[in-house]
Amino acid sequence: MLPNTFRNIFRMIPAAVAFGLTLSGCSSLVYDDLPECPAQLNVKFQFNYTLDRGEAFAEQVHSVNVWAFDKAGNFVWSGEASGEGLKDPGFMLETPLGEGTYDFIAWCGLDGNEDFSLATYTPASMQDLEMKLNTIEKDGKNESSSHFKSLFHGMKFGVNHTINPYAPSITTVTIPLIKDTNDIAVMLVNQDGMALDADDFTVTFTYADSWLAWNNAVEAQCPAVTYTPWSALYGETTRSRAEGDPELPVRSSLLYEMSVSRLIVGGDAYLDIVRNTDGNRIIHLPLIDLFVYAKGNRFEEYTDQEYLDRRSDYSALFILDNELNWYVAAGIYINGWAVVPPQSGGMY
């Protein structure tokens, strides 16, 4: 039998150990020299809003700008980064924000981007974060013939950052991005062997989408933009034939490429092609409607607007007859698929 004194000592050991463990934490009410528990609010970005849903942030996004607003809507912090560091899978921005609830707005792709201008980098509220397409005024129209660098928008609301003084408090918010820039390729194909010249036609896409609001909506009162090609290429292909058949003419084509801002379902947007030899407009089509029409059943899981936002490259191919008119009976090839559009007074 142990003396009572030793038995009491052994009874006290577990309690002393437990008490010591509480003192070894990252915060204490007893010892002022112990380190505080780490508390951090970090911001990450994600870009998989594409048709294949693959993560493409590191590949496509080369700069980020983000702004934080408190629960009352006041601007409280902004961060930015660019360059090779964004390709690191662990890339994130650290913020100095304390405990609270925050909303975040992001515009990404601004570094070195001369095609778009942000209204301000020091907003009083999130509504100040408007984006404007830079255009050139020509003959009373706002024109753009630039090959756009990619522009992305993202937002995340109601992020709650709570700090526990007795344990690490690490909050990481991931902001999903939407790509706002699109490339449209328009091809004219002449099957009778007649050579085509890029100067024979004027190709334009007219749409009022030059101002984007803080929430990525197209501003209702923004002016229309006349988009013109940044590239026009001539090409020829030899048509295949069976042995012994008469020689078939070479198929000539023209490829026009344009960059445009965000596309919105129902937008009043028209593709116009004018034959310059006589000034006749041979094609006048509501192109956004046709892009949505060509979605078909392949992407029925997406709403029309989600489809437009997930897709950033489009093509439209037209067959010309020997008088350089659109051969309407051949329809249109939208994104490689043959489409016979519904007839309406708004297209020809």
Side-chain angles (χ1 to χ4, degrees), residues 71-121:
K71 200 170 183 179
N74 301 308
F75 167 61
V76 292
W77 171 81
S78 66
E80 61 181 277
S82 61
E84 292 297 313
L86 275 64
K87 297 182 180 180
D88 186 333
F91 167 75
M92 66 178 66
L93 291 176
E94 295 183 356
T95 82
L97 298 173
E99 188 170 78
T101 301
Y102 301 99
D103 298 330
F104 293 87
I105 302 294
W107 286 106
C108 302
L110 292 177
D111 188 43
N113 194 331
E114 298 180 355
D115 299 312
F116 292 88
S117 295
L118 187 66
T120 178
Y121 282 82

Side-chain angles (χ1 to χ4, degrees), residues 12-277:
M12 293 173 63
I13 287 175
V17 171
F19 184 68
L21 289 175
T22 62
L23 296 181
S24 64
C26 51
S27 181
S28 172
L29 299 177
V30 178
Y31 294 97
D32 294 334
D33 59 345
L34 290 177
E36 295 184 359
C37 286
Q40 187 68 48
L41 175 56
N42 301 319
V43 178
K44 296 190 68 173
F45 302 87
Q46 181 182 65
F47 177 54
N48 61 2
Y49 209 72
T50 58
L51 293 179
D52 63 10
R53 304 191 185 199
E55 178 55 51
F57 174 81
E59 176 185 353
Q60 296 199 33
V61 183
H62 305 300
S63 69
V64 296
N65 288 81
V66 60
W67 295 262
F69 303 85
D70 64 17
K71 200 170 183 179
N74 301 308
F75 167 61
V76 292
W77 171 81
S78 66
E80 61 181 277
S82 61
E84 292 297 313
L86 275 64
K87 297 182 180 180
D88 186 333
F91 167 75
M92 66 178 66
L93 291 176
E94 295 183 356
T95 82
L97 298 173
E99 188 170 78
T101 301
Y102 301 99
D103 298 330
F104 293 87
I105 302 294
W107 286 106
C108 302
L110 292 177
D111 188 43
N113 194 331
E114 298 180 355
D115 299 312
F116 292 88
S117 295
L118 187 66
T120 178
Y121 282 82
T122 55
S125 67
M126 63 180 67
Q127 285 75 20
D128 293 338
L129 292 173
E130 296 178 326
M131 188 65 63
K132 181 179 179 181
L133 173 66
N134 298 325
T135 60
I136 298 174
E137 186 174 348
K138 185 177 179 180
D139 298 329
K141 299 179 180 179
N142 299 304
E143 291 193 2
S144 173
S145 59
S146 295
H147 185 192
F148 294 163
K149 289 186 176 181
S150 298
L151 177 71
F152 303 84
H153 176 271
M155 53 189 175
K156 191 81 169 184
F157 297 151
V159 176
N160 187 29
H161 180 43
T162 303
I163 296 177
N164 183 348
Y166 304 108
S169 305
I170 308 299
T171 302
T172 301
V173 54
T174 300
I175 300 178
L177 301 178
I178 292 177
K179 190 174 183 179
D180 281 339
T181 46
N182 305 274
D183 290 321
I184 298 176
V186 177
M187 179 173 281
L188 306 179
V189 178
N190 186 14
Q191 297 192 91
D192 69 356
M194 180 189 300
L196 299 175
D197 190 296
D199 293 333
D200 291 341
F201 303 93
T202 296
V203 179
T204 58
F205 176 71
T206 305
Y207 184 35
D209 64 344
S210 57
W211 295 349
L212 299 176
W214 62 275
N215 61 355
N216 210 29
V218 172
E219 294 278 15
Q221 303 302 319
C222 73
V225 179
T226 299
Y227 294 100
T228 58
W230 50 263
S231 174
L233 298 174
Y234 174 77
E236 292 182 350
T237 57
T238 302
R239 299 172 62 183
S240 61
R241 63 183 179 86
E243 186 176 353
D245 287 349
E247 189 70 31
L248 294 176
V250 170
R251 175 182 293 171
S252 60
S253 62
L254 291 171
L255 176 64
Y256 299 89
E257 295 177 279
M258 298 180 288
S259 293
V260 304
S261 186
R262 191 180 184 207
L263 304 177
I264 300 295
V265 170
D268 189 18
Y270 279 86
L271 172 72
D272 289 292
I273 300 180
V274 174
R275 187 175 55 220
N276 292 334
T277 53

